[in-house]
Amino acid sequence: MQADYSVLFLCTGNSARSIMAEAIMNQKGQPHFTAYSAGSRPTGAVRPEALRQLKAAHLPTHGLRSKNWGEFAQPGAPWLDFVFTVCDNAANEVCPVWPGQPLTAHWGVPDPAALQEAPGQIEKAFRDAFFLLDRRISLFLSLPLSTLDQFSLKKEIDDLGRQ
């Protein structure tokens, strides 16, 4: 029997990359993974391009919202096994103390929301970010988590952020 794990994806605005990662993990990781997302300075809204990408991939979008990472450092917050930063800003910030002393890794993904290009190029950037996150999450889910010691697991999840 495989254990159950909680994963938090962090980004500054929690409007695109971390939201997509949350949705991907919640779909692909069921029933053993529960994913959340948050931001250090959340925008308060999920980017419509991110929602369109998730819908195109037939992933549920109900309940996705931009939220502050402080929600996950409060008493009663979910116990976290893994925390992945998906943007460079959040990786460089001082994070709250997370319940459970989770393993952390940086999985930087270029910010599609930062583009000021033509709409087609913006959609392509969101699609590229989605596929990069999807690939990393799929590789993460293929790891033999129950057989890896903490040091080996940390190395593996760090390596995934470079793929």
Side-chain angles (χ1 to χ4, degrees):
M1 176 75 179
Q2 186 177 357
D4 289 333
Y5 302 97
S6 291
V7 181
L8 177 61
F9 292 97
L10 296 177
C11 202
T12 306
N14 189 222
S15 67
R17 293 166 287 182
S18 52
I19 293 282
M20 290 191 293
E22 174 185 1
I24 294 166
M25 178 65 82
N26 278 330
Q27 181 68 30
K28 287 190 161 197
Q30 41 182 317
H32 298 290
F33 287 82
T34 302
Y36 307 94
S37 67
S40 58
R41 292 184 296 282
T43 64
V46 177
R47 290 288 300 250
E49 300 93 341
L51 293 173
R52 280 196 295 276
Q53 186 58 53
L54 293 171
K55 288 176 184 172
H58 306 289
L59 295 177
T61 60
H62 178 74
L64 295 175
R65 64 184 177 87
S66 178
K67 55 208 155 294
N68 190 284
W69 65 9
E71 287 187 29
F72 297 92
Q74 301 293 322
W79 183 271
L80 300 171
D81 298 293
F82 301 94
V83 175
F84 300 119
T85 54
V86 294
C87 69
D88 291 332
N89 290 344
N92 295 324
E93 294 185 54
V94 176
C95 293
V97 175
W98 309 114
Q101 297 179 325
L103 286 176
T104 62
H106 176 60
W107 288 3
V109 175
D111 187 2
L115 291 179
Q116 303 295 322
E117 309 294 327
Q121 291 172 315
I122 293 171
E123 291 294 331
K124 181 185 181 315
F126 273 86
R127 197 168 39 257
D128 291 348
F130 175 88
F131 285 123
L132 181 56
L133 290 163
D134 185 68
R135 180 172 183 267
R136 288 178 179 164
I137 289 168
S138 294
L139 290 169
F140 171 74
L141 291 171
S142 72
L143 292 174
L145 299 179
S146 62
T147 63
L148 293 172
D149 62 66
Q150 290 286 86
F151 179 77
S152 298
L153 183 53
K154 172 69 173 144
K155 182 187 178 316
E156 291 288 339
I157 64 175
D158 284 343
D159 287 348
L160 288 176
R162 293 186 278 279
Q163 296 189 27

